[in-house]
Amino acid sequence: MVAVLAFSYVVNAQIVKSNSVKRTITTEKVEKPESESIWYMRLGLNMMKFKGDLIDDEYMKSNLGYNWVIGFEKPLGPLFWGMEFGLSSRGFKLESNGYTSKFMAHNGIFSPFNIGYKYPISDNFAVEAHLGAFVSGDYFGKWDDDVIYDYDDYVYPNAGMQFGFGMWFSNIGLDLCWQKGFLNLTSDGDDFKSSNFMLRLGVAF
């Protein structure tokens, strides 16, 4: 009789323990790790020029444009990678013998791959450098009084590389970026490609 009671006690204890474990397991919440991706927006001035054999550098001057993008940075080992998309411009200004000619085109721009390195100086301050590719497409533009749709040999898309470096103060950033186009402005074979230098302020969110 004592053995039966002892056996029943052990069995009941195991059932109670098992149920307690089950309740503990089912009531525990598994917390998901927070995403380490950083989204940001950058807006700034674009000092636009063109380079090539078509125009002498003596007459080629910068025309003032803009660059506005939204992007993200995601850790990739010690580096980060990301994308950007937004609106931008390309153009130039020619000055010769008191005559000034201006060209400016507006485009949608997409950078499908950027890779860079961010080095934290302190908890609220970091510097970074980044390198990437971009593609763009002009949707409107004017060369003096003529619109780009008036030119049969005008090349609307552009593609190239961009390199930048900057700094972050908490979630506020300053970025200097150089952008070099690889496609000529016209299809007639003349070497005439965009070269932009951008000064952009950013905010991370």
Side-chain angles (χ1 to χ4, degrees):
M1 187 65 179
V2 174
V4 173
L5 292 174
F7 177 76
S8 299
Y9 176 78
V10 171
V11 170
N12 289 332
Q14 291 294 331
I15 292 174
V16 171
K17 182 178 180 180
S18 176
N19 289 336
S20 299
V21 171
K22 288 181 179 178
R23 283 194 295 269
T24 302
I25 293 174
T26 55
T27 56
E28 285 183 350
K29 293 182 179 180
V30 179
E31 295 184 0
K32 296 181 180 180
E34 294 183 2
S35 173
E36 296 179 338
S37 296
I38 298 174
W39 284 86
Y40 61 84
M41 179 179 66
R42 286 184 172 129
L43 173 65
L45 298 177
N46 185 358
M47 278 66 79
M48 313 176 299
K49 295 178 70 174
F50 269 65
K51 298 286 187 178
D53 299 332
L54 185 61
I55 297 295
D56 194 322
D57 288 342
E58 178 183 354
Y59 307 118
M60 178 63 66
K61 308 298 180 180
S62 295
N63 196 6
L64 191 61
Y66 62 92
N67 180 262
W68 172 78
V69 294
I70 293 176
F72 72 87
E73 296 176 356
K74 187 175 182 62
L76 184 67
L79 307 175
F80 67 80
W81 77 276
M83 296 182 180
E84 289 182 346
F85 61 92
L87 300 174
S88 190
S89 60
R90 61 174 177 165
F92 57 83
K93 180 168 62 174
L94 298 175
E95 292 182 352
S96 176
N97 299 323
Y99 173 74
T100 299
S101 178
K102 292 183 179 182
F103 165 70
M104 180 173 180
H106 309 271
N107 55 65
I109 190 168
F110 174 54
S111 181
F113 188 82
N114 283 303
I115 190 166
Y117 178 73
K118 181 179 293 183
Y119 182 76
I121 304 297
S122 66
D123 291 340
N124 296 316
F125 178 64
V127 294
E128 75 169 44
H130 53 86
L131 173 68
F134 76 91
V135 292
S136 67
D138 295 343
Y139 59 86
F140 184 75
K142 295 185 67 176
W143 190 337
D144 294 335
D145 295 328
D146 298 326
V147 297
I148 57 177
Y149 309 116
D150 295 333
Y151 300 95
D152 295 334
D153 58 352
Y154 188 87
V155 177
Y156 294 88
N158 193 18
M161 300 292 294
Q162 59 185 23
F163 169 76
F165 63 91
M167 58 193 71
W168 287 97
F169 303 91
S170 185
N171 66 327
I172 304 299
L174 176 66
D175 184 69
L176 304 176
C177 185
W178 178 66
Q179 192 179 76
K180 175 62 177 175
F182 292 163
L183 301 183
N184 290 318
L185 183 63
T186 60
S187 59
D188 56 11
D190 290 322
D191 180 27
F192 199 50
K193 302 178 177 69
S194 63
S195 178
N196 297 332
F197 179 74
M198 298 173 289
L199 174 62
R200 307 181 295 181
L201 290 175
V203 57
F205 47 88

